[in-house]
Amino acid sequence: MKSLVILTLLVVACQSSSDKQRRFPDDFLFGAATAAYQIEGGWNEDGKGESIWDYVVHNNPAYIKDLSNGDIAADSYHNYKRDVEIMRELNLNAYRFSIAWSRVLPTGMINNVNQAGIDFYNNYIDEMLKYNITPLITLYHWDLPQKLHELGGFTNPLFADWFSDYARLVFQSFGDRVKHFITFNEPREICYEGYGTDTKPPIVNNTAIGTYLCAKHLVIAHAKAYHMYDKEFRPTQGGQCGITISVNWFGPDTDSDDDKLAAEITRQGEWGIYAHPIFSAEGGFPKELSERVAKKSAEQGYSKSRMPEFTEEEKALVRGASDFFGVNHYSASLTSATEHKVPHPVPSLMDDIDSGTYTPDEWPKSSSSWLTFAPNSLYNALTHLNTRYNKPVFYITENGWSTSNDRGLIDDDRIAYYRAALENVLDLLDDGVNLKGYMAWSLFDNFEWNAGYTERLGLYNVDFEDPARTRTAKKSAFVYKHIVTHRYIDHDYEPEAMIMTID
Ligand code: BGC
């Protein structure tokens, strides 16, 4: 009798504490994300062609911190059923992954379709759908077919045509079952890092115009693919097509007008040059930055601005061409008009922006130099975007925390980061922001680009020494599962035993 009373009291106590919790809506999509080159391996299997990442890791191995590559990575090409099992263990509603362009079109061009590549993604998708997991496809997550790079890649004005051919193949092949398409992952990392600096393949490093030229061609390619989906596929497939932009938060260091302007120009250079043409009412590149580039270009002896104009026709094509705004958010910095400046090449995007950024010492640091745990950064970023771009539909398509590779399975800092970010999501939902889903980065450890396997962002550990690439749940996986399953954040929840099962 006594134990029955205690049990009843406990149940009542638990219920009332969960009743007080703010809840995520039942139709809110909780998922995790990955990208083809980071997980698949099978880099030349069954007819896959070479991508710019294959080319760089094989020809310039020292480019990667631990001299590793994605030739095998987490070997998802052979382990995709285990990947889906992990999604089931976590009770995920959704999974965001990317198609390797060169797996389905080995040369990048439409004349040569690799059926084995199409079959691989069909199997992956069908396996997810068996368990009611909603697939979200990213068409381009950084792995341009090398042959297209040899023709200039994103700097060739024909890029939009090549991308359209590829996009049509993806919509045709998978759109009967996949209802969420993301054209590009992170234009900033594609254009600034790949074309405006030497930090990512294809290492073009044209600081003066590389970023801007790529930005213009990328948003036009996005818009053409969007309109194609809208006209040719939406009537029968009924899905959505959007883009994912990396939006880290840049706030002013002080309340001075100069610092506020510096933060605004920084945001324009970091994400505005990709978001503004698509999501703003006026279209085209953002005003303050484009005026600054035009002025500097004239002073530097150029006959026209290094930032290309959009014609009125191009502006109209691009403006409004997205069903949703995918946001990848990780970190934040404070921006100053005068302090913390470091030298930049002249001319370059960073020289055009001409501000200093820093992160205060008290913000916890991850294993990645660019990733700090900044208070309310997700909330600040989304609130700003929501106002600036007139309340679009949002998905958080990536958010996560990196640890070193010797950390093992106990990742309390990742848990703290996720809980704080998800509290921000609840704040945004309370404010009426039209946020439809959240994808943790990443489902499991993978090839972390230039950092190789030295930085880990997975909910599951992958043993990269083991030929089977065994995946094991970290503590954060249990916590994420608890949130996804119960639809609220229990800050006191501790997994009893670290044994993961499918419920
Ligand atoms: C990218 C991912 C990457 C993650 C962590 C994002 O910029 O989309 O591919 O692994 O950040 O660096």
Side-chain angles (χ1 to χ4, degrees), residues 33-35 96-98 136-142 154 163 180-191 218-219 222-223 226 240-248 270-276 278-279 321-330 382 385 393-399 435 437-439 441:
T34 62
R96 172 181 175 235
F97 65 104
S98 79
L136 280 73
I137 284 185
T138 309
L139 280 86
Y140 185 82
H141 200 126
W142 305 358
F154 284 78
F163 187 72
H180 298 78
F181 291 103
I182 295 166
T183 53
F184 292 100
N185 177 71
E186 298 192 346
R188 174 196 174 275
E189 282 62 20
I190 298 166
C191 293
L218 184 151
V219 296
H222 159 78
Y226 168 82
Q240 306 167 23
C241 180
I243 187 167
T244 279
I245 299 178
S246 51
V247 181
N248 289 323
E270 290 278 333
W271 75 64
I273 51 176
Y274 318 103
H276 206 80
I278 303 170
F279 294 101
S322 201
D323 295 320
F324 58 86
F325 192 139
V327 174
N328 286 357
H329 175 83
Y330 287 89
L382 266 281
L385 294 179
V393 171
F394 290 106
Y395 288 87
I396 308 287
T397 42
E398 282 182 33
N399 179 239
L435 175 52
Y438 174 95
M439 308 292 133
W441 184 274

Side-chain angles (χ1 to χ4, degrees), residues 310-326:
F310 284 84
T311 63
E312 287 307 315
E313 201 187 332
E314 287 168 339
K315 272 190 196 169
L317 173 85
V318 175
R319 199 170 38 213
S322 201
D323 295 320
F324 58 86
F325 192 139

Side-chain angles (χ1 to χ4, degrees), residues 209-342:
I209 64 164
T211 309
Y212 302 134
L213 193 56
C214 169
K216 181 173 171 185
H217 293 160
L218 184 151
V219 296
I220 287 176
H222 159 78
K224 287 190 168 167
Y226 168 82
H227 288 298
M228 181 210 304
Y229 186 78
D230 194 40
K231 288 194 188 65
E232 294 179 31
F233 296 95
R234 198 200 305 275
T236 49
Q237 298 185 350
Q240 306 167 23
C241 180
I243 187 167
T244 279
I245 299 178
S246 51
V247 181
N248 289 323
W249 179 241
F250 295 88
D253 187 24
T254 71
D255 273 345
S256 75
D257 287 347
D258 284 352
D259 282 359
K260 285 185 189 156
L261 179 63
E264 174 56 26
I265 300 259
T266 306
R267 294 191 290 258
Q268 293 185 1
E270 290 278 333
W271 75 64
I273 51 176
Y274 318 103
H276 206 80
I278 303 170
F279 294 101
S280 73
E282 59 275 21
F285 282 131
K287 191 163 168 286
E288 289 80 359
L289 182 63
S290 53
E291 283 172 1
R292 187 176 282 192
V293 180
K295 184 164 172 279
K296 284 205 181 203
S297 302
E299 286 161 12
Q300 288 158 349
Y302 289 89
S303 58
K304 35 181 174 164
S305 176
R306 286 179 284 105
M307 185 182 267
E309 295 282 321
F310 284 84
T311 63
E312 287 307 315
E313 201 187 332
E314 287 168 339
K315 272 190 196 169
L317 173 85
V318 175
R319 199 170 38 213
S322 201
D323 295 320
F324 58 86
F325 192 139
V327 174
N328 286 357
H329 175 83
Y330 287 89
S331 196
S333 310
L334 297 179
T335 314
S336 166
T338 49
E339 308 295 310
H340 308 284
K341 289 193 173 180
V342 293

